[in-house]
Structures are given as C-alpha cells and as structure tokens.
Amino acid sequence: MRRDGFGDEHELFRSQVRRFVEREVAPKIAEWNARGTSDRETWRRAGEEGFLGVNAPEAYGGAGTDFRYSAIVMEELARARAHGMMVSLHSDICMPYLASFGSEEQKQKWLPGAIRGETLLGICMTEPGTGSDLANVQTRAIRDGDHYVLNGAKTFISNGQIGDLFVVVAKTDPAADPPHKGISLILVEADTPGFVRGRKLDKLGLRGQDTSEIFFQDCRVPASNLLGKEGQGFRMLMEKLQQERLCIAVSSVASCQRALDDTVAYVKERRAFGQPIAGFQNTQFKLAELATEVEVGQAFVDRLIGAHVRGDDVVKEVSMAKWWTTDLQKRLTADCLQLHGGYGFMLEYPIAMDYADAAVQSIYAGTNEIMKVIIARRMGLG
Ligand SMILES: Cc1cc2nc3c(=O)[nH]c(=O)nc-3n(C[C@H](O)[C@H](O)[C@H](O)COP(=O)(O)OP(=O)(O)OC[C@H]3O[C@@H](n4cnc5c(N)ncnc54)[C@H](O)[C@@H]3O)c2cc1C
C-alpha cells in the first residue's frame, strides 16, 4: 500500500539511501557489532552522499528538506539493522539543538562539519543517579569569568567514544527553585581538557553502538558555548523531545517490518510434520495479527510525520506512538523469535539480535512509563 505523505521524490531519495546502505553500510555491520562502535569513514561517506542533516539549513551545507527525508534515512538503516550508526541521534536529535538555538557563530563553527560527517554529535542528559527525572541532574556548569567549568558524570551516552561535540545538560544555577529553571545546555568539544570518556558499556543489544560513560572534571569551556540562554535548557529539551520520540517510533515500525518480512520468509522454508510451518493455522494467525499491527502503527506514524512537518504540537500523540510502536516491537520480535524455534535463539539468525535490540526502545528517549505520564497529563489527569 502506498504510504500517505510519501511521493515519487521521496521514493527516489529512498532508493538512493538504500543503495548506499546496501553497498557501504551493511557490509560493516558485523564488524561494528564485534567492535562495539561504528567507524568514522562511513559517517564521512554518508555526509558526502548528503544523507546527514537532510533537514539542516542549506546555508550550512544541509539539504533543507523536511522530516520525511529524515524518516527515510532512519527506515533504511533500521531495515539493514545498522543500529551502530545512529544517524537519527546525530542528524535529527542533536543537530536541531544547534540549528534552532545556536548562535550564528556556533552554527558556522559546527554545523558544516556535522553535515559532512566529520564532527559527530551526541547528547549528555542521563546521569548515574537520574534519567527520567531530568530536572534532578547534578552535573554543574559554573560561570568563571569568560568560561563555564563543568563537573559531573553522565552515563549511557550514545556516540560516547566516537562523538566530537556534545550537547551537555548541566545546572548553571544549582540553587534554582524549581530546579529545572537552573538547567542550561552547553556545547562541549570532546578534545577539551577535563572531558573524559569512560567505559564503553557492554550491552544486551545495539551491539554496534558505543554507549558510554562521560565525565567532566574541571572541564573549562568558553562562555560562548552556552546554547541559547542560561536557565532555558529544560524548555529547549522539552521542545525537541517531540522529534526525538518520533524518531524512535519511525525506526520501531521499520524494524518491525524487517523482522516480520524475514519471519514470513522463514516459515515458508522451514518444514515440520511434512509441511512448511507457514501451513499451520497458528503461524498464519500470529503473522496476520502482527502484520495488521504493523500497518496500524505505520499509518499512525505517517500521520504524525505529516503533522510534525506542518509544525503541529503532537506531543501527546507522539508519546502514544512511542510507547505503542516500541511495545509492538518487543512483542513482535518475541513472537517472530518463537516462530523460528531453536534457531531463533541463535545469534546467527538476525531475529535473535532483533529481539535483543528491541528491548531498549521502550527505555531510551523517555521510558514508556514516562510517555504514559505525559499522555495522562495532556488528558487533564493528574
Ligand atoms: C542504549 C542506550 C542509549 C542511550 N543513549 C542516551 C544518550 O545518548 N544520551 C542520554 O542522555 N541518555 C541516553 N540513554 C539513557 C536513557 O535515556 C535513560 O536510560 C532513560 O531516560 C531512563 O532513565 P534511567 O535509566 O535513569 O531510568 P529511571 O529513570 O531510573 O527509571 C527506572 C524505572 O522507573 C520508571 N519510572 C521513572 N519515573 C517514573 C514515573 N514518574 N512514573 C512511572 N514510572 C517511572 C521508569 O519508567 C523505569 O521503568 C540511553 C540509554 C540506553 C540504554
């Protein structure tokens, strides 16, 4: 079925991205998963091909398109299971902070390199002591003359080893009441003295992602690295979380489709009791139900993409999509693994990694419980 909101020009772009992913990304995935990180050369190539910062302003080297093109890049990477290369984090989660809130000087300095795939981006929100409760971050950025001095610890930071520039959530006014008013966003380059990369964390899934600890130890950055105004950090984060969560929903549905397609192919091949297991009614009903849910999820996500491109406030609906599609992804990968029998438990079968990779989708970018808190609040409850 043709998708609403995606025309010929989008499909042309999709075929270009797919060709690039098949030729230059897919062959590297096994190595990334083994090493626990992607490689800079592939990022640079993606930049060269124009697949990074597709929404970023043309004045800085971006393609100036809309979020539909970002969604296509995410979908094609999810289709290839290229989770090590989190283009959405770089292009659609971190880059918009610079593009929307950066000063002209900041944009000139960092956007062109980010779009070329030379300056890789990350965001440091989560700390060992707090994730969901963002207003409670303990990392401090205290003004000292023309500088901020950062101290604190962050964890679970994607692109933590490979990243060059990080948006850091820190308290510039630790005494602020309410606490979220003391939060600011500071840009920190990874080669700044006092920026310390910690362990690359060993994870259940997303094996190709270098999720890491980051420490700030008397890390001095120029005051001009402040993004927007002091005390506005929380507001900026809230503004950008709609897109971050939509990215997760987009990739979730694409990952579901891939796992489903592979499972349909598998059950046609695998035989039991003298027939392909596709012949059992249980297999047919299970896959028919899952295929229906993927269509429902895709229709909802496509509607939200359209609304997001128009600039609508769809925080409530995006929160719905984020929890529902990621929940679907977890159920779907579990059911598809079951249909693979023992082979589903073997890592040589992609469904095993799909199952492991799905687990995090309901956790990051705001847990699914937090999504329901937001929905309930917007319904006027609590
Ligand atoms: C692979 C991976 C990559 C990540 N990448 C990044 C990154 O690049 N940058 C970054 O900053 N962070 C990143 N994170 C962190 C992620 O965003 C946090 O893990 C997430 O926000 C949850 O925070 P937490 O782990 O502290 O869990 P907690 O906040 O401790 O939550 C624990 C449990 O309590 C529940 N809970 C908490 N508050 C409520 C409430 N009010 N009502 C009901 N239930 C509640 C949660 O839903 C959860 O089930 C990443 C995490 C992972 C696993």
Side-chain angles (χ1 to χ4, degrees):
M1 198 167 67
R2 193 165 182 136
R3 287 170 60 188
D4 284 345
F6 289 86
D8 291 344
E9 65 280 25
H10 300 107
E11 292 320 311
L12 180 65
F13 180 68
R14 184 185 298 283
S15 61
Q16 290 165 354
V17 178
R18 186 168 295 183
R19 254 199 319 277
F20 171 75
V21 171
E22 282 172 354
R23 213 177 41 227
E24 302 199 34
V25 177
K28 308 236 177 97
I29 294 173
E31 187 203 326
W32 292 349
N33 290 349
R35 284 200 301 129
T37 182
S38 58
D39 66 80
R40 299 188 70 89
E41 176 56 17
T42 311
W43 280 94
R44 206 191 50 71
R45 283 286 303 127
E48 211 166 70
E49 293 285 328
F51 300 143
L52 301 181
V54 289
N55 295 167
E58 287 168 282
Y60 306 96
T65 63
D66 66 39
F67 185 76
R68 281 191 198 93
Y69 290 85
S70 297
I72 289 168
V73 176
M74 281 172 234
E75 287 169 354
E76 291 305 312
L77 288 166
R79 181 175 174 274
R81 302 183 166 95
H83 308 300
M85 193 176 181
M86 267 195 188
V87 169
S88 59
L89 171 81
H90 174 82
S91 296
D92 307 298
I93 295 173
C94 298
M95 214 182 283
Y97 285 100
L98 256 177
S100 301
F101 307 121
S103 64
E104 190 49 41
E105 186 195 339
Q106 290 168 341
K107 289 195 260 197
Q108 296 278 2
K109 185 167 179 193
W110 288 304
L111 271 180
I115 293 162
R116 285 196 301 269
E118 290 162 6
T119 306
L120 303 185
L121 308 178
I123 184 160
C124 298
M125 296 187 267
T126 309
E127 302 187 349
T130 191
S132 305
D133 185 8
L134 205 52
N136 195 29
V137 292
Q138 298 300 311
T139 298
R140 288 165 186 223
I142 303 303
R143 185 81 187 239
D144 179 23
D146 290 341
H147 288 80
Y148 286 103
V149 182
L150 283 85
N151 279 290
K154 299 285 180 181
T155 195
F156 308 148
I157 306 307
S158 307
N159 280 356
Q161 300 295 320
I162 204 173
D164 303 297
L165 177 69
F166 291 83
V167 178
V168 180
V169 179
K171 287 253 171 85
T172 42
D173 179 6
D177 184 20
H180 73 264
K181 293 210 162 146
I183 290 180
S184 301
L185 303 184
I186 315 262
L187 295 160
V188 182
E189 290 172 300
D191 59 3
T192 312
F195 176 99
V196 179
R197 300 188 207 262
R199 283 179 304 149
K200 175 153 60 74
L201 300 161
D202 198 12
K203 309 189 293 300
L204 173 66
L206 301 192
R207 302 285 304 176
Q209 239 302 312
D210 57 347
T211 317
S212 301
E213 301 168 323
I214 301 280
F215 301 100
F216 300 96
Q217 296 170 352
D218 287 328
C219 178
R220 287 178 80 84
V221 299
S224 57
N225 283 22
L226 175 72
L227 205 50
K229 293 201 172 72
E230 261 194 31
Q232 295 287 306
F234 202 76
R235 190 189 58 72
M236 292 189 270
L237 288 164
M238 294 304 116
E239 194 180 314
K240 292 297 174 200
L241 283 173
Q242 171 169 304
Q243 178 152 310
E244 175 168 351
R245 287 161 186 168
L246 186 53
C247 290
I248 306 293
V250 166
S251 65
S252 249
V253 176
S255 294
C256 284
Q257 188 66 59
R258 180 64 205 248
L260 184 64
D261 290 346
D262 286 359
T263 306
V264 169
Y266 180 82
V267 299
K268 287 180 185 165
E269 290 291 321
R270 178 73 177 169
R271 296 177 72 82
F273 298 96
Q275 61 166 315
I277 58 171
F280 300 125
Q281 196 184 55
N282 174 66
T283 308
Q284 295 170 2
F285 281 14
K286 186 50 75 187
L287 290 173
E289 286 167 13
L290 293 173
T292 307
E293 289 191 271
V294 174
E295 287 293 343
V296 170
Q298 188 72 74
F300 187 28
V301 165
D302 285 350
R303 191 158 164 241
L304 290 176
I305 292 173
H308 184 66
V309 168
R310 277 199 306 274
D312 296 354
D313 176 346
V314 281
V315 165
K316 182 177 79 177
E317 292 77 6
V318 164
S319 304
M320 291 172 173
K322 197 270 176 185
W323 87 254
W324 193 85
T325 58
T326 58
D327 195 66
L328 170 63
Q329 189 182 348
K330 293 207 292 190
R331 287 187 287 109
L332 180 144
T333 51
D335 286 344
C336 288
L337 186 155
Q338 182 72 13
L339 286 171
H340 279 71
Y343 291 107
F345 198 64
M346 301 299 133
L347 285 174
E348 63 197 88
Y349 279 76
I351 193 64
M353 278 316 298
D354 289 347
Y355 175 79
D357 291 336
V360 74
Q361 297 279 78
S362 60
I363 295 172
Y364 59 13
T367 67
N368 282 9
E369 292 72 29
I370 294 297
M371 294 307 99
K372 291 171 195 175
V373 169
I374 294 168
I375 297 162
R377 233 182 249 148
R378 294 229 166 186
M379 290 168 69
L381 309 167

